[in-house]
Amino acid sequence: MIRPAAYLLLAAACGCAGAPAPAPPAGERSRAPYVAAPAGRHGIDVRIDAGAARDLLAFLSQPQYRVDDAKRLEELPAVRLALQDSGRTAEVFERDLATAFEDEAGSAVFDFHSIRSARPRWEALLSALPAREADLARMSAERAAALLPADRPVRTSLQVFLTFGLAGLADHLVVTIPDGAEVMIVDLARALGDSANESVENQIERVARLIAGEAFRQAWRAYRTGSPNWTSRDTSLGLLEPLLQVTTELGPVALFHVDENFFPLSVWLKERLYDLRVFASSYACSSCRTRSTAEIRRLDFGQRVAGPGGAFLSDGIIQNLGLDAFRTALASGPKAFFVAYDQAQQKSRDLIPLSEVIRNRLKGSKLQVPRNPSGS
């Protein structure tokens, strides 16, 4: 079972998430890399099932709580999997559903009271969704494919359930079902919590970006599994290899956690790279190496350092060398990724240099940047 990729929301990490994202000037194309056209002929299949969201909203629109209807909701795949993931019992789920019909919101694991209070908003979205489900799936798949290297096709499939009232604070879960496949469960209220004044079209695009991030994570993992540049050790990196590898694995995925209006990230996210620089420098201290190597393997290291820092590196490459150069770097492995950023930083004063301990490991290496790079 996999918990959601709960990276720090990169816009929040720079302190700018409290205000609406600034829209790009009229007529200017988005600089978000995931809106670009895919370079390869990848087969990413995304299937959307909004049944749980519709049925939960219909239940919450009734004038009073009905226990038999509540028990039927528990049979929905999205509800059953989310309940299983939460570790709570069906009794807790039914109690929180009943609480939604009370005048005052009480303490609840599954927050259905706020959904019932905002029914008109969710009714507008769900009434528009049936005609847009195919577009949502297509948009998610195309955005997921946009960052993948083009040298060989990747084929993956992702089942997505849309729902309400997940336990905890996450806007989605990724859970493993008995056949070994991973499915994604999206809490629409959490995913769209700050977009009440946006159009239905913009809300659908937000959900597409969230789904695309998970679809890309799975496709990017499948790509690395079949690549010698990723399955073979690079002894030239020495003790830095785990750090460079996890940063290159997580950084591209973390790009999907950023609203497209916050690109380029060099404007907002410089402090995240400072964290990565400080951590890399700890390898110069022999007494710190064992602790640093162990910390890299922890989930919260990816959330705090490798994901946000890797996103900054990724966008630095894309904005200055082009999307084709970025894809080439990903295909070539972790060392090439950092070499590409080093070359990008030499072109732009907006980018922060890598730490000396990393640059020393990259000496003499150069990435051949494709001619006529795209995405720049």
Side-chain angles (χ1 to χ4, degrees):
M1 183 174 299
I2 300 176
R3 299 301 304 174
Y7 297 112
L8 298 172
L9 176 63
L10 302 183
C14 66
C16 55
E28 182 176 319
R29 69 183 178 89
S30 171
R31 297 181 70 177
Y34 46 69
V35 302
R41 304 188 70 174
H42 302 295
I44 299 179
D45 177 39
V46 176
R47 301 185 305 280
I48 309 293
D49 184 340
R54 283 194 294 267
D55 289 356
L56 278 164
L57 190 62
F59 176 88
L60 294 169
S61 298
Q62 297 178 131
Q64 60 186 16
Y65 176 77
R66 297 184 179 181
V67 65
D68 290 342
D69 290 345
K71 291 185 179 299
R72 279 192 285 272
L73 289 174
E74 295 164 19
E75 299 172 3
L76 296 171
V79 173
R80 177 171 45 79
L81 290 170
L83 188 58
Q84 177 183 321
D85 182 82
S86 73
R88 302 309 202 279
T89 64
E91 288 74 19
V92 173
F93 177 78
E94 293 167 18
R95 179 204 67 193
D96 290 350
L97 274 176
T99 300
F101 290 81
E102 297 176 1
D103 292 336
E104 297 291 332
S107 176
V109 175
F110 307 98
D111 178 17
F112 295 116
H113 192 280
S114 64
I115 307 304
R116 189 166 193 268
S117 299
R119 291 195 307 278
R121 176 189 177 185
W122 303 121
E123 286 167 355
L125 176 64
L126 289 176
S127 64
L129 199 54
R132 298 299 311 279
E133 279 188 17
D135 289 336
L136 175 59
R138 174 190 53 77
M139 196 184 314
S140 302
E142 288 177 351
R143 292 189 173 190
L147 304 188
L148 290 170
D151 56 313
R152 58 187 177 79
V154 173
R155 301 195 179 281
T156 58
S157 179
L158 176 64
Q159 174 68 63
V160 180
F161 295 110
L162 305 182
T163 190
F164 292 110
L166 291 181
L169 300 176
D171 58 12
H172 73 281
L173 299 174
V174 180
V175 298
T176 304
I177 58 178
D179 67 1
E182 293 174 344
V183 301
M184 183 181 193
I185 307 172
V186 176
D187 185 329
L188 289 174
R190 296 252 179 78
L192 300 171
D194 61 348
S195 63
N197 296 323
E198 294 185 7
S199 67
V200 168
E201 180 64 28
N202 284 349
Q203 292 183 65
I204 288 174
E205 289 190 4
R206 278 180 176 244
V207 176
R209 173 166 58 84
L210 179 64
I211 295 171
E214 176 56 28
F216 174 78
R217 185 189 70 83
Q218 295 188 17
W220 175 219
R221 180 182 61 194
Y223 177 89
R224 299 195 311 272
T225 300
S227 170
N229 291 331
W230 280 92
T231 55
S232 302
R233 290 205 59 190
D234 187 343
T235 56
S236 71
L237 296 177
L239 292 171
L240 285 173
E241 184 186 28
L243 175 63
L244 270 59
Q245 180 168 333
V246 73
T247 302
T248 311
E249 289 175 357
L250 299 182
V253 181
L255 289 172
F256 290 89
H257 293 259
V258 185
D259 185 281
E260 64 182 77
N261 294 320
F262 281 113
F263 290 91
L265 298 185
S266 60
V267 177
W268 312 103
L269 209 58
K270 292 182 179 180
E271 67 184 69
R272 297 299 98 190
L273 187 58
Y274 283 123
D275 292 344
L276 190 63
R277 282 168 52 95
V278 169
F279 193 87
S281 297
S282 69
Y283 277 89
C285 166
S286 58
S287 63
C288 301
R289 288 173 187 165
T290 300
R291 177 181 59 80
S292 298
T293 301
E295 186 174 352
I296 288 172
R297 302 303 180 188
R298 293 171 53 185
L299 176 63
D300 68 339
F301 178 79
Q303 298 169 354
R304 293 183 294 104
V305 180
F312 184 94
L313 299 178
S314 296
D315 192 56
I317 297 168
I318 293 166
Q319 303 294 343
N320 292 280
L321 302 183
L323 191 49
D324 287 340
F326 173 73
R327 294 177 181 125
T328 299
L330 291 187
S332 303
K335 184 175 184 179
F337 177 80
F338 277 79
V339 168
Y341 177 81
D342 194 45
Q343 293 174 208
Q345 189 274 323
Q346 294 170 35
K347 291 185 61 176
S348 172
R349 294 181 180 179
D350 292 331
L351 299 180
I352 302 168
L354 294 169
S355 65
E356 283 303 310
V357 69
I358 293 179
R359 295 194 74 190
N360 288 339
R361 285 289 178 178
L362 304 180
K363 282 182 178 177
S365 300
K366 187 174 178 63
L367 180 75
Q368 294 299 318
V369 178
R371 294 182 180 180
N372 302 317
S374 65
S376 56

